[in-house]
Amino acid sequence: MTDIDDPSPPAGGPSAGSGGPPRIHRSQIAAILREVADLLELKGENPFRSRAYANGARAIEGMAEDPQDLYEAGTLGEVRGIGPGLVAGIAEIVLTGSLALLAELRAEFPAGVQDLLRIPGLGPKRLRLLIENLQIDSTAALERACREGRVALLPGFGAKSQEKLLQGLSSLQKHGERHLLPAAGAAAQALARHLAAHPAVARVEIAGSLRRSCETIGDLDLLVAVPAGEREAVVDHFLAAPSVLQAIERGATKAAAVVAGGIRADLRLVEASEFAAALLHFTGSKEHNVELRARAKSRGWTLNEYGLHQRQPGADEAEETRFALDSEQAIYAKLGLAWIPPEAREGMGEIDLAAAAAIPELVAYADLRGTLHVHTDWSDGIATLEGMANAAANLGWEYLGIADHSRAAAYARGLDASRVRQQWLEIDAWNAAGRKPFLFKGTECDILGDGALDFDDELLLGFDYVVASVHSRFGLSREAMTARWVRAAAHPCVTFLGHPTGRLLLVREPYELDLEAVLDAARIHGAIPELNANPHRLDLDWRPLRGWLASGGMTSIHPDAHSPHGLSDVAFGIGIARKALAVPAQILNSRPLAEVQAYFADRRQRARELLAR
Ligand code: DGT
Ligand code: CA
Ligand code: CA
Ligand code: ZN
């Protein structure tokens, strides 16, 4: 069902699979529960009821097993965080794809409430005050009230929160139409499976920005091969998918709908003979397509979503003949190009590389041998150290690095020196018993405001490696933030720069920073900027990462996982690494255990020598 030559990682790539009832993804179940929790709170219901749904959402997102498997086994109620009252609701979602309670609750509020709840920094409690006192029923009404200064006058608000709300509104406007990879990927895969279950559908692919592993997704693009006579039936089938909330468009060769999570999905229906050209076109990017078309034109051909065409000498446009090319590979080859992985199709030099046959074998999910930035319940993770280690073993990994927070991150129950040493004993015991995977002693050590590290050098030297991260004082000037990072990158004990730009996708822009200066310092001192694969971050961004790798730098793909399930977020990092044209040799955690051990040992030896001077 998927492109044979497309080694997409599991989370980003299409996996339409065969038949069977469409499974609803955990993130969709969690989104429904979370919205119920918000609306119950907004309604002013018994707070325990609302909290039960919020806890349920968190439990569903964090658990290692698939919620549907547990439902089928009848053991959902045994999961910590899922109360007995919630089991029936989750069962309803698993069976029908929706929850009647949510529809009832939505009907009790103006339609604009869903948007208002998405404003960063505005929770249901305060939204309720705005609705009751200022009759706010939409983001437009809220913006007006802020501009007119009416929000600042409300008890419990004030000028500062009014300003924050305006910032939240503009952030929502800027990002509100886009979606994070887990939700978009899950929604697309559910639709692809649903489409594949129709007997007239010969082939399904997920195209667009999702196939290119972009960091956020505007809308889903699905492509199916269907005989012309069956298109209408397949459009009906598509619009009847359990996740479809609303049909937007119904045409002869296309359809569009809004699915759960407020995500738009475009469907294109083509003949099997047009499939390869259509897949190429709808995968994009637009810039890539424009360059490909120009290349076709320079050979006297035309390339469009229906195929690559040649005009017979003297004939007019209507007499174009189509080359019989039945794969993307064949179309690229006809244009004198090696096949270009979808992630690289951004119109950023990849066509020249392909023309020179210089696109290397990019890193793939299967190359990873372990990972190095995960949290346990020693700090703010939800699983035990043993639980995280076992989950890593289940992924087939050789090693796992535990990097709980340091003491300054009090909000995340950061570890002090004595807790660190206790944790080391547990890790040493694990390794001494020969248990798998091998565990590294790491820390995610806060970088304080002035660039100093949160632990003293002696303690730092006891770790196998150090991820240094900024978790506070995001508002520093560009100069101060750059100096802070440069100082940290120069510390001999620092192995990795943690989520270097601090962005939270769709929520928070990167802080002010001269990234180039920081990367220069990292290069000089041998620190590695991590590729934080948490789908909320994907930091370092693939654009600067590409430059860093091209100039000889190395990275390491870390999930920043807070639960066993979070470990598989590395798949998103693989997509981003591929966008940066990374090969396995540039990814530290694609190396086998012994090499990583040797790398850390060398770094530590060097740090000892430098600190002894
Ligand atoms: P998104 O949805 O904003 O995350 O990004 P895409 O890339 O999925 O964009 P979308 O859904 O508008 O279109 C899907 C693909 O269709 C796009 O990547 C390339 C192709 N496409 C769309 N509009 C144009 C166009 O005006 N010219 C060309 N050459 N290709 C287009
Ligand atoms: Ca799209
Ligand atoms: Ca689209
Ligand atoms: Zn962090």
Side-chain angles (χ1 to χ4, degrees), residues 114-115 118-120 139 168-180 216-219 261-264 505-507:
Q114 268 165 271
D115 294 332
R118 290 168 62 208
I119 299 174
T139 52
L169 277 164
S170 91
S171 154
L172 182 67
Q173 257 161 23
K174 205 153 124 209
H175 304 301
E177 303 299 311
R178 300 194 68 82
H179 306 276
L180 295 178
T216 62
I217 304 301
D219 66 13
I263 307 174
R264 179 190 164 111
L505 290 166
L506 308 186
V507 172

Side-chain angles (χ1 to χ4, degrees), residues 139-362:
T139 52
L142 178 59
E143 181 166 1
R144 212 174 316 120
C146 287
R147 300 241 178 260
E148 293 169 5
R150 286 182 282 135
V151 171
L153 298 178
L154 270 187
F157 281 79
K160 209 163 173 188
S161 15
Q162 180 169 283
E163 185 52 37
K164 279 239 165 80
L165 279 177
L166 278 171
Q167 280 169 14
L169 277 164
S170 91
S171 154
L172 182 67
Q173 257 161 23
K174 205 153 124 209
H175 304 301
E177 303 299 311
R178 300 194 68 82
H179 306 276
L180 295 178
L181 283 175
Q189 281 173 24
L191 285 173
R193 277 192 299 268
H194 178 79
L195 285 164
H198 193 283
V201 170
R203 215 179 146 190
V204 188
E205 287 289 348
I206 296 167
S209 50
L210 197 54
R211 184 162 182 244
R212 301 199 314 278
S213 290
C214 292
E215 61 273 34
T216 62
I217 304 301
D219 66 13
L220 312 178
D221 302 282
L222 289 122
L223 184 64
V224 291
V226 182
E230 300 278 357
R231 280 183 197 145
E232 212 180 314
V234 171
V235 166
D236 287 341
H237 177 70
F238 170 67
L239 295 175
S243 62
V244 167
L245 299 177
Q246 188 196 339
I248 306 177
E249 194 186 338
R250 172 196 291 272
T253 58
K254 59 183 175 180
V258 177
V259 300
I263 307 174
R264 179 190 164 111
D266 287 337
L267 174 68
R268 288 288 181 138
L269 306 98
V270 300
E271 294 287 338
S273 62
E274 299 164 344
F275 196 86
L279 180 58
L280 188 59
H281 174 82
F282 291 111
T283 296
S285 65
K286 194 174 160 184
E287 294 75 14
H288 180 82
N289 290 352
V290 167
E291 283 187 43
L292 270 190
R293 285 171 184 204
R295 192 174 174 91
K297 202 165 174 212
S298 72
R299 285 163 162 68
W301 306 328
T302 54
L303 175 65
N304 59 26
E305 58 193 276
Y306 304 104
L308 183 63
H309 309 264
Q310 183 177 33
R311 195 178 300 174
Q312 302 304 335
D316 66 21
E317 207 167 319
E319 290 170 76
E320 283 187 337
T321 56
R322 187 165 74 199
F323 291 111
L325 300 167
D326 64 358
S327 68
E328 284 188 339
Q329 200 118 28
I331 299 173
Y332 280 114
K334 186 86 191 165
L335 292 169
L337 299 171
W339 182 76
I340 301 177
E343 297 90 339
R345 301 182 194 170
E346 294 293 345
M348 289 176 62
E350 70 277 7
I351 292 181
D352 289 344
L353 285 177
I359 296 189
E361 188 68 36
L362 303 181

